Amino acid sequence: MNPLLLPVIAAQGLWVRARTEVLPPAVGPDTGTVAEQAPGAPMRVAVLGESTAAGCGVATHDEGFPGSLARALAASYDCPVTWKVVGRYGATGRRIRYQLLPQLGEGYDLAVLLAGANDVLGRRSPDQWGEDLAAIVDDLTRRAASVVVVGTPPFADFPSLPGALARYCAERAAGLDRTSELICAERPQVTWINSTDIMQITGDFFARDGFHPSAHGYRQWARAVADHPRAEPRTDPR
């Protein structure tokens, strides 16, 4: 990014912060089960992370990523899927590592990490992010048979971000993603998925804040993650 644009980016950041509606996290149960009568062996799924795990943009977690992912997996494997979510608005990798991860529990078939956006917005370096991510995924591999790390969100497509700010965030996000890909490649149980490549982002993907997914966006995102060839749980319930 051209350093001459940094004052413009700073001004755009203040403008976005002042005008963007802060959507509350989802409410209601943080656990659930779908397809209870399906014939296959039950699958246990955990979702951990920032505001997208917390369900900002939808009313309940069932409408958000955890419920949507569970339904997508249940349809693929014809089995009951029980989900658990631990998420917090504004959580960086550091907070996830030290405050949220200990709340998760153990014995999962699949754990999905949604994180990195706040590390981009907080201007944390790839090294800082990588230190926390490595610790998180190493812990998750003790809690789940298979771990998926979803890449940073597609900032360049966010309706709420002006051009220069969107490009700046996208460049910083790409740096964190490169670190994530390397860390995950070193761990056989862990798969990194580039969130900017797995689906087409359209206007109805976003909630009214133009920053978080809508219910439709969460369904589309979760389905893309569930259908990714390397995101299959190591324990096949069939």
Side-chain angles (χ1 to χ4, degrees), residues 68-80:
S68 298
L69 179 66
R71 283 187 289 275
L73 291 170
S76 295
Y77 290 100
D78 197 19
C79 71

